[in-house]
Amino acid sequence: MEFPTTRLRRLRKNPQIRKIIRETKLNKEDFVYPMFVNENLKNNETEEIETMPGEKRFSIEGIVNYAKILEEKGLCSILLFGLPLIKDEYASSAYDPQGIVQKTVKQLKKETNLLVMTDVCMCQYTNHGHCGILEENLVKNDMTLKYLSKIALSHAKSGADVVAPSDMMDGRIGEIRETLDNNNQEDTIIMSYAAKYASSYYAPFRDAAGSAPLFGDRKSYQMDSANIQEALREVKLDISEGADIIMVKPALAYLDVIKSVKDKFQMPTAAYNVSGEFSMIKAGIEAGYLTEDSIVETLLSIKRAGSDLLISHFTPYMLDIL
Ligand code: PBG
Ligand code: ZN
């Protein structure tokens, strides 16, 4: 049937009809809030993150208090990043049972009912800022796996519900799964940063987390932006190694990747609306070039592409408007 019998504008006539035929809807439970806890901060001290307007680094006490406020607004889960006091070649503070993430997870699990996810990587904890162990300035894959497993296990033992390896070493999901299973942590969920690209959109995060590499870049482990077939291979491998949830990161410049991954594997899928995507929209709004409506429109595109979970610094804003 064609025009004039068919008129698509009928279904756009007023807000009520638009609302009931809307295909994609954002829910509070779709959102995962990335939060930063800094071992340097005490009591209720916070630090503004300059490159991410409105975002903060917290002390343990501060993060727990803020998480409670967000939980009351409907937050379901957070993704935790730690800034340690001490960095060394082997990222020892990352698997210290008394490390900043470990202590924070314990406190969050004690005082909230939030699902706590932890970022498992070495770059905030190494003195060189790379995501693995170095030998002659090269990131050594197989040596790094041992350390990542130790980090994931210590997070799990502290009570993390989900561990999220973001390093992009080959074989890490299998190794972490085996380590967790051999240590009575078979119920710990693994959310794999499966297709993680070497992206310029991480720049604000590296300022927030103090994790920029001291030399070189991450292109020998994170993916080349041009590749999608390789992303599907990465995802397939991570699923075969035991990943429960898979992630595509960043989101906006990779919506095609999200869609292909969801269509092909039909796994619980997350997308990381990264720091640069957040800050670029915030800057646009602050400059008066954009309005706040751009936030929902952007997040909808990520969900429409096929992502079930949206890891986003817009989470507090969304909890307020949903
Ligand atoms: C560390 C890590 C990064 C992000 C999450 N975990 C940065 C990087 O890989 O350099 C980026 C998150 C963001 O930009 O919001 N492996
Ligand atoms: Zn890293």
Side-chain angles (χ1 to χ4, degrees):
M1 214 70 83
E2 286 175 7
F3 177 81
T5 319
T6 298
R7 290 177 181 269
L8 292 179
R9 285 187 56 193
R10 271 184 214 125
L11 295 178
R12 297 176 202 146
K13 196 158 55 182
N14 60 43
Q16 289 76 14
I17 187 64
R18 289 197 293 272
K19 188 170 181 180
I20 66 164
I21 61 120
R22 189 160 292 144
E23 297 172 40
T24 308
K25 289 175 182 166
L26 295 169
N27 307 308
K28 290 186 181 189
E29 61 269 26
D30 301 337
F31 289 89
V32 179
Y33 189 37
M35 295 184 85
F36 302 98
V37 61
N38 185 347
E39 202 168 11
N40 262 313
L41 300 175
K42 300 276 167 306
N43 306 319
N44 254 327
E45 282 170 12
T46 56
E47 281 172 349
E48 298 289 330
I49 301 170
E50 266 175 43
T51 51
M52 301 173 69
E55 295 296 279
K56 294 184 171 70
R57 303 182 200 90
F58 297 91
S59 64
I60 299 183
E61 193 182 320
I63 206 170
V64 172
N65 289 340
Y66 189 43
K68 280 184 188 165
I69 293 171
L70 296 177
E71 188 180 21
E72 270 168 32
K73 294 184 181 183
L75 181 68
C76 290
S77 66
I78 74 163
L79 176 59
L80 188 61
F81 292 89
L83 285 80
L85 272 174
I86 295 163
K87 300 179 189 242
D88 64 22
E89 215 179 325
Y90 298 101
S92 339
S93 53
Y95 44 87
D96 179 348
Q98 290 306 314
I100 181 65
V101 166
Q102 289 80 354
K103 286 202 276 196
T104 307
V105 170
K106 271 185 211 145
Q107 211 54 32
L108 282 165
K109 290 308 295 179
K110 197 149 88 188
E111 297 193 41
T112 74
N113 290 311
L114 292 168
L115 191 81
V116 177
M117 308 183 170
T118 56
D119 183 84
V120 172
C121 201
M122 303 179 69
C123 48
Q124 283 113 264
Y125 304 86
T126 49
N127 49 18
H128 46 71
H130 277 287
C131 303
I133 301 291
L134 293 187
E135 213 177 67
E136 285 165 4
N137 285 353
L138 294 174
V139 175
K140 300 301 277 185
N141 193 86
D142 299 15
M143 254 191 257
T144 300
L145 300 183
K146 232 183 27 218
Y147 291 88
L148 294 169
S149 301
K150 284 212 272 193
I151 300 170
L153 179 59
S154 82
H155 290 182
K157 283 185 170 166
S158 307
D161 302 287
V162 180
V163 292
S166 66
D167 52 284
M168 288 301 279
M169 297 303 123
D170 285 320
R172 87 260 209 231
I173 300 302
E175 186 106 355
I176 290 173
R177 185 70 273 162
E178 195 183 327
T179 304
L180 292 172
D181 290 354
N182 289 339
N183 289 279
N184 301 316
Q185 305 296 331
E186 57 281 329
D187 290 332
T188 303
I189 296 160
I190 301 179
M191 174 167 75
S192 164
Y193 287 69
K196 178 175 177 181
Y197 288 88
S199 170
S200 56
Y201 287 97
Y202 306 152
F205 171 94
R206 290 180 188 170
D207 170 61
S211 65
L214 218 57
F215 63 88
D217 54 39
R218 304 209 200 288
K219 290 184 177 168
S220 79
Y221 39 106
Q222 298 179 348
M223 286 181 51
D224 186 311
S225 336
N227 298 353
I228 184 166
Q229 288 174 10
E230 189 185 342
L232 299 177
R233 294 182 73 197
E234 281 283 4
V235 170
K236 190 173 175 193
L237 276 171
D238 284 5
I239 295 170
S240 73
E241 290 175 29
D244 301 290
I245 303 172
I246 48 178
M247 191 204 297
V248 174
K249 178 188 176 188
L252 288 188
Y254 302 89
L255 293 173
D256 57 329
V257 180
I258 298 173
K259 175 151 178 58
S260 299
V261 163
K262 185 61 176 180
D263 286 350
K264 182 151 188 198
F265 299 104
Q266 312 208 320
M267 287 282 290
T269 303
Y272 204 137
N273 177 219
V274 298
S275 55
E277 301 171 1
F278 168 83
S279 297
M280 127 180 122
I281 290 176
K282 284 291 260 198
I285 294 169
E286 278 174 21
Y289 301 147
L290 295 174
T291 65
E292 282 193 345
D293 291 342
S294 59
I295 299 172
V296 167
E297 184 178 342
T298 299
L299 295 168
L300 268 176
S301 77
I302 301 171
K303 183 144 183 208
R304 199 181 61 238
S307 187
D308 307 294
L309 290 174
L310 308 175
I311 304 166
S312 176
H313 291 280
F314 287 118
T315 298
Y317 170 83
M318 292 304 298
L319 295 175
D320 281 337
I321 68 163
L322 284 174

